[in-house]
Amino acid sequence: MLRWCGYCQTFLGEAPPFDKLVITHGVCETCAELALDFTPQNIEHAHTLQDILAELSLAGSRADMQAAKAAIRTATAAHMQPVDMLLGLVAPLLFEIGEEWRKGRITVATEHRFTEFFEQVFALLEPRALALVGTPSGATGQPDALVMNAWGNRHTLAARVLSLWLGARGLRTQLLEPPPPPEEVAAIIIRLQPRMVFVSVALSEHIESVRALADMVSSIPESHRPRFVVGGSAVKMGLVPDTPGLELVPDIHDLNLEAAV
Amino acid sequence: MLHDQLKDATADQHARLDALPFFQALQAGTLPAPAIVTLLRGLAIVHAVLERAVTQSADARLAAVASATSPKLPLIVADLERLDVAQTPSITPAIHAALDCGAAILRRAENPLSLLGTLYVLEGSQRGGDVLRKAYAQCLAVPADQLSYWGCYRQDTQARWAQFTLSLNALTCDEGDVAAVTDAAVRAFEWFTRICSALYPYTEQQLKQHVTAVNFEAGDHAMPQAPGEMELALRAGRDAWDRNPYLEMRFGDRGRRFTSSDSCWLVTLIHLPETQGVRSLEWLRSVLASRGISTVILGIYLQCILRLWMDEGFGATASGPGLARFLADREAERASLGYAVPVVERYERRLARCSGLTVPSAATLIASAWVDERAGIVGALSSTLDWFTDQNRFTPEWTDIVHKLLAELDTLTGAVC
Ligand code: B12
């Protein structure tokens, strides 16, 4: 299930059962502080979101970009932020496509066509999300956080979403895409001393290279060493063993960002 | 004329490709073997995607042009086999570029004109014919007639090209169509430029075992890199394949290739801790069971791997706790569902006595699919059963026994529940 804040339409994360793309409403921390109660409008919003999700899904199956644009317009009118659309609509639909492939219900060709379509939707929303963040990912200067894909991970969307999401939470992020060679990244870390390094891993084998990177920068005194936070499909699926020096975070919403800002 | 438009549109890209260090080294006879072997592997990836998409397309214009070509994939596969290069590592950035190229073709496969543009570039690359074949053979130090892909039309090369371009020019295309074909052709040149730039020069660190060397359709997943492990995985895969004639009967050569690549991936799981090993296997189980490969087959793969692993003395490095635990879990699962070996064996004997086509271990495979379904893999049973009850393949007597087996399994579970 996909949890959205019933008041401000912020995406709050996923809730079990994970394979059901049903919108449910919760309350985000900010709105909870205001101690508001659910109104009929909130319930109406839940229906709207469910409809938008269905519309987008249908647009994907028909490769209909006009329909996708219309769904985005409706979502914007419902006060959803682009980064929340990416996390709460596009990512779950991609997840579902992956599940359909795993269950043998669609071919690799169909899966690729869907992915291509949602990459285009993604490309449509990314600049809008960036515009709202203010400090674009990849900006120079002293970043709070580096965001990158593990070497060999061909799933490139997650790192981009993550970088936008962190930006929306006030972190100055630098997205390394594609990731430069490990020695170069180590040098960047030593030079820029970010507080956090976020790495996305999709398959369990991708973790090896992250371990190696963490080792490379172990010479940095502990007080200045960044936190290595690792997430992605493989972490979500529990395929990555606990590793000293690496924080595994299955859901972006579980991130503790206090130390970073 | 479409051919001229294609030639003009791609001239710059073509020249850029030809000027790469890769082709200079080829002409000088100094192109190293891994670059050529990796090129063949990359071409296998690309041709596999293209030829499949072309065959599956219902577009008449594409079909008309494609009929003037012959499939190249079998030639590439044959060349790689003859060269006996299974142990030669691949130049990984070039394989990644080839995978990207394959994905790009697949993503646009719904537009037949896009496939046409790629076909034009690949067909045109055959024109170098004899010259290219000799140059590659010289670099590899093998007789030129050992290579069949390059210049595959031999003395008919010019005639075949003329026929191909004639069929292109015979198409009725509006401006938009021409733009779609030429755009795809330019893109194809760009991809090949990317692939060949990555092939030469390369660094030693870029040389790795890549799964596409054993199965050009396997994509991009983990491969054993430690000495001897890949060989062991392939041997275990062959053992498992031989023990399951059903795989050959149903999935043919493609199944054999996936057996090899899956077996390689399974060997990498030996190094994982128990929990992660089990979860990875559960994921693969659901992938396979949904495609008519019930878990008893996966179990045989794992047994073959573990046996060889221990026999060959690899046990000291890792013991594959996830694999062992997964096998034990399956036994417990069968027991909990009331799976009765004697019942399945009774049906095995009945099925073996049927006239017409019979499949060794059919009852075991079907019963295993039944377990998979009960274990929550929705569709596992039907994906196995569809094949085993196909009336064009089996006699009514056979399908009747299959249905009886299922009914009896259902009663057994009823008894346990
Ligand atoms: C699209 C896709 C592809 C595309 C990617 C295209 C692209 N440009 O990115 C392509 C075709 C290349 C691909 C390839 C493969 N894929 Co794929 N793919 C997917 C799919 C369907 C969607 C991925 C995606 O972009 N999701 C959208 C993003 C935004 O979501 P996300 O990745 O989950 O990220 C979210 C969280 O995980 C988290 N997060 C992500 N990173 C991080 C990092 C940090 C620090 C934190 C805190 C959080 C975090 O935040 C994100 C937002 O919520 C997934 C399905 C799935 N369940 O994820 C399969 C999936 C990941 N792929 C899978 C597989 C098997 C493969 C291949 C091995 C197939 C093959 N045989 O080649 C290859 C591997 C390639 C490689 N070496 O990386 C499996 C992996 C299973 C496993 N056992 O590990 C999946 C799960 C499909 C499935 N259901 O089985 N794939």
Side-chain angles (χ1 to χ4, degrees), chain A residues 5-250:
Chain A
C5 174
Y7 304 107
C8 67
Q9 308 309 325
T10 301
F11 181 56
L12 299 178
E14 295 175 25
F18 293 106
D19 55 348
K20 291 251 175 324
L21 293 195
V22 175
I23 306 280
T24 170
H25 269 177
V27 185
C28 75
E29 271 176 34
T30 324
C31 295
E33 275 171 22
L34 299 173
L36 298 169
D37 247 344
F38 275 115
T39 64
Q41 277 121 310
N42 301 140
I43 310 291
E44 178 59 29
H45 257 130
H47 290 302
T48 316
L49 286 179
Q50 194 71 59
D51 291 346
I52 296 170
L53 194 66
E55 261 178 63
L56 259 186
S57 172
L58 193 68
S61 64
R62 295 181 178 161
D64 183 347
M65 194 43 77
Q66 290 313 318
K69 283 181 182 163
I72 291 172
R73 274 196 299 275
T74 319
T76 311
H79 305 295
M80 292 166 68
Q81 297 298 314
V83 69
D84 288 324
M85 292 185 215
L86 288 171
L87 274 167
L89 298 173
V90 176
L93 286 172
L94 278 165
F95 175 87
E96 194 176 54
I97 290 161
E99 286 302 281
E100 291 288 291
W101 168 79
R102 180 176 67 81
K103 292 173 186 164
R105 295 186 191 145
I106 58 171
T107 62
V108 171
T110 311
E111 188 249 333
H112 271 63
R113 281 200 292 277
F114 261 84
T115 304
E116 156 96 348
F117 181 80
F118 283 111
E119 273 176 20
Q120 285 173 23
V121 174
F122 195 96
L124 216 69
L125 288 167
E126 195 176 32
R128 300 187 197 184
L130 266 175
L132 288 172
V133 167
T135 45
S137 311
T140 45
Q142 172 94 35
D144 301 313
L146 292 182
V147 182
M148 58 181 278
N149 238 351
W151 291 275
N153 181 6
R154 297 163 67 81
H155 301 79
T156 50
L157 299 181
R160 282 158 64 188
V161 178
L162 182 66
S163 164
L164 291 169
W165 188 83
L166 292 169
R169 263 139 204 84
L171 257 76
R172 280 168 301 159
T173 64
Q174 184 168 337
L175 176 64
L176 304 177
E177 174 57 32
E183 306 71 34
E184 247 176 74
V185 176
I188 295 175
I189 293 174
I190 292 169
R191 183 160 43 87
L192 298 180
Q193 303 207 347
R195 306 223 180 134
M196 298 177 106
V197 176
F198 293 94
V199 192
S200 184
V201 299
L203 308 180
S204 56
E205 64 251 35
H206 297 152
I207 198 69
E208 262 328 305
S209 60
V210 189
R211 260 183 223 140
L213 175 66
D215 281 350
M216 271 186 205
V217 298
S218 59
S219 61
I220 303 178
E222 217 171 323
S223 54
H224 287 75
R225 210 177 300 155
R227 278 167 64 195
F228 275 85
V229 182
V230 183
S233 305
V235 177
K236 221 167 157 179
M237 291 166 74
L239 300 177
V240 178
D242 282 336
T243 309
L246 304 183
E247 288 174 42
L248 304 183
V249 178

